[in-house]
Amino acid sequence: MKFWDGFFSNLESKSFLLREESVEKKMHSKLPHIGTTIFTVMSKLAEDEGAINLSQGFPGFGADSELLELVGKYTLKGYNQYPPMAGILGLRLKLAEKTQLTQGYFPDPEREVTIVSGATEALFAAASAVVRKGDEVIVLEPAYDSYEPAITLNGGKPIYVPLNEQDFSPDWERIKKAITDKTRAIFVNSPHNPSGYVWTKSDLDELAQVIRGREIFVISDEVYEHITFDGKKHHSIGYHPELREKTFVCGSFGKTFHVTGWKIGYCIAPPEMTTEFRKIHQYLTFTTVTPMQYALAEYLEKPDRYLSIPDFYQKKRDLFNSGLSQTDFQFRSSAGSFFQLVNYGHLSKMPDRELATRMTKELKVACIPVSVFYSDKKDNQVLRFCFAKEESELLEALDRLKDLNRILA
């Protein structure tokens, strides 16, 4: 027995040492410079402070009751098991028909349309399909924060190119200079988050000219496709026949129909690109919640349900901007998305993150500091507000913002 007592004692001692060595080994993060997103941080702060949350980009109102009833209908009918990996054909067909109506081309529902679990998945899967170790990928900034991790985790290197500061339009001369033999892809976003800039036909022509004759793919974030104002039309990158052959168009049903928590998006791309995209998609999420796909397919049968969205949001933008004009902020009205930027540089040089935090705590209105959209955290004293809220909430927030000088004094 003494032998076995000694054996197990020695074994336990060695096991303890191994555990100690394991604890001492540090986790080598693949994204060492990335923490919790500012959107989560500011929403949490708004909740803690009892502030009106105009920071994170989600609607402050519910979806159409008819859409919700359709979800119940298909859930009760038993549509609760795995759907096809690419999404149910009925939804892919309705999406293709919507694309034909709004953009003038009909993607093949079988070979060019994939339903995914949110546009963020679509963007990541698209990057994973084409970006290899050592590739360079152009990012136009200020840019949404999910682009850089999608590039880095696939071994690529983001090349940041600033948009024009006045209106956030693409700076084509800078983009041309950023192109090298290593350039593999470019991320584009229209309507743009955070600025609301909407790409023009001329922008599409310029992009086509820049990548013509080169093996450069386009990953196009178009989640705000139906939220444009003042008669501006959203031109999908897929609208351009030449660009269509090189583009992953990534969209969102959640943003369009006020159901961001459903996390349902899509990707439209040429057949050979879709094949590679689906290889990634099937091992990220495989598929997307079934009854909601059937509900969306039926809901899309009436085009007015998405064609009316620009007017719906323009009323909110106009209401919000009318109130902003009574504050000391300076701004240019957003042309798209449900965001409005404001500048306070003429009033103070306080860092935007500090001001956003103080506004949340002292004025009880939360927003996003725009410096977080830049790779170098460039601070132009600009804040972003989300106006996808109920009218009463917007009016109350505007009333509180009139006390801005109390913080800046």
Side-chain angles (χ1 to χ4, degrees):
M1 289 297 294
K2 289 183 178 180
F3 169 79
W4 290 110
D5 288 343
F7 175 80
F8 284 117
S9 176
N10 187 43
L11 186 64
E12 288 173 0
S13 177
K14 287 183 178 180
S15 177
F16 174 78
L17 289 174
L18 287 173
R19 288 198 302 273
E20 283 289 290
E21 289 176 6
S22 178
V23 168
E24 289 176 1
K25 289 181 180 179
K26 292 183 178 180
M27 181 73 178
H28 294 288
S29 173
K30 291 185 176 182
L31 298 170
H33 57 294
I34 291 179
T36 304
T37 71
I38 189 66
F39 313 107
T40 299
V41 170
M42 294 308 297
S43 285
K44 178 64 164 59
L45 184 61
E47 181 180 1
D48 292 345
E49 295 292 331
I52 296 174
N53 188 0
L54 305 188
S55 60
Q56 194 168 0
F58 60 82
F61 41 82
D64 183 352
S65 60
E66 291 186 37
L67 176 57
L68 302 181
E69 288 168 5
L70 288 172
V71 174
K73 167 185 167 180
Y74 285 105
T75 300
L76 294 172
K77 277 191 170 185
Y79 291 84
N80 299 304
Q81 307 308 324
Y82 291 130
M85 178 267 287
I88 66 166
L89 183 57
L91 181 53
R92 285 182 280 149
L93 176 60
K94 290 302 175 185
L95 178 57
E97 291 174 352
K98 182 173 82 70
T99 303
Q100 173 75 67
L101 180 63
T102 60
Q103 300 299 327
Y105 76 101
F106 186 85
D108 184 340
E110 288 277 13
R111 303 191 302 147
E112 297 184 310
V113 180
T114 308
I115 306 302
V116 296
S117 296
T120 300
E121 187 209 336
L123 295 165
F124 187 88
S128 299
V130 297
V131 177
R132 305 289 184 269
K133 186 176 181 179
D135 287 344
E136 294 179 350
V137 181
I138 292 176
V139 177
L140 308 179
E141 60 176 5
Y144 186 59
D145 64 356
S146 77
Y147 305 161
E148 190 271 344
I151 297 165
T152 303
L153 289 172
N154 285 290
K157 177 183 178 182
I159 304 297
Y160 297 101
V161 179
L163 296 164
N164 289 308
E165 286 191 6
Q166 292 302 312
D167 63 356
F168 297 93
S169 61
D171 187 329
W172 292 109
E173 288 307 311
R174 282 181 167 177
I175 293 171
K176 289 173 185 176
K177 290 178 181 178
I179 299 285
T180 72
D181 291 339
K182 293 183 178 180
T183 305
R184 179 67 168 171
I186 177 171
F187 272 85
V188 303
N189 175 208
S190 178
H192 181 244
N193 178 14
S195 75
Y197 178 81
V198 178
W199 277 40
T200 65
K201 287 184 180 180
S202 176
D203 289 325
L204 270 62
D205 289 336
E206 288 279 3
L207 178 59
Q209 189 276 324
V210 166
I211 67 174
R212 187 170 295 138
R214 297 174 179 269
E215 193 174 332
I216 297 176
F217 296 95
V218 181
I219 302 173
S220 186
D221 179 351
E222 303 184 15
V223 298
Y224 302 105
E225 61 182 311
H226 292 293
I227 309 177
T228 58
F229 311 125
D230 304 317
K232 285 187 179 292
K233 177 177 171 56
H234 165 64
H235 296 292
S236 171
I237 303 300
Y239 170 85
H240 194 287
E242 184 178 351
L243 291 173
R244 190 183 310 154
E245 299 306 311
K246 297 181 175 182
T247 299
F248 297 93
V249 174
C250 304
S252 168
F253 293 112
K255 289 289 195 298
T256 298
F257 296 123
H258 329 313
V259 286
T260 58
W262 289 9
K263 295 296 292 179
I264 300 182
Y266 66 84
C267 180
I268 297 174
E272 63 278 9
M273 291 166 59
T274 293
T275 296
E276 296 306 310
F277 177 93
R278 289 178 179 175
K279 289 178 183 178
I280 307 298
H281 161 65
Q282 69 180 341
Y283 293 115
L284 283 178
T285 60
F286 178 67
T287 190
T288 300
V289 60
T290 305
M292 292 172 183
Q293 288 195 53
Y294 281 96
L296 284 167
E298 184 170 338
Y299 193 72
L300 284 168
E301 290 177 358
K302 295 181 179 180
D304 185 63
R305 286 169 168 162
Y306 51 85
L307 296 178
S308 62
I309 288 173
D311 289 340
F312 173 81
Y313 274 113
Q314 177 151 351
K315 291 176 183 176
K316 293 184 178 295
R317 185 209 64 172
D318 291 348
L319 172 71
F320 188 64
N321 286 0
S322 177
L324 279 179
S325 66
Q326 305 303 309
T327 71
D328 292 320
F329 287 122
Q330 292 180 345
F331 64 94
R332 177 198 298 260
S333 288
S334 174
S337 80
F338 43 52
F339 302 118
Q340 177 63 54
L341 297 188
V342 299
N343 186 289
Y344 65 91
H346 57 296
L347 302 171
S348 170
K349 296 304 177 185
M350 183 185 295
D352 62 355
R353 191 155 188 164
E354 179 183 346
L355 179 56
T357 300
R358 291 191 61 184
M359 285 171 56
T360 305
K361 292 182 176 181
E362 298 176 39
L363 298 185
K364 304 301 181 184
V365 179
C367 60
I368 295 292
V370 171
S371 62
V372 301
F373 291 87
Y374 289 92
S375 57
D376 61 359
K377 302 300 180 277
K378 181 180 181 180
D379 188 348
N380 292 322
Q381 283 74 51
V382 177
L383 304 172
R384 189 198 78 175
F385 292 102
C386 173
F387 53 79
K389 308 297 176 182
E390 294 284 9
E391 180 177 321
S392 59
E393 195 170 26
L394 292 175
L395 291 173
E396 177 60 29
L398 288 163
D399 189 57
R400 297 179 187 184
L401 290 174
K402 291 177 182 178
D403 288 335
L404 176 67
N405 282 332
R406 177 162 56 85
I407 295 178
L408 298 178

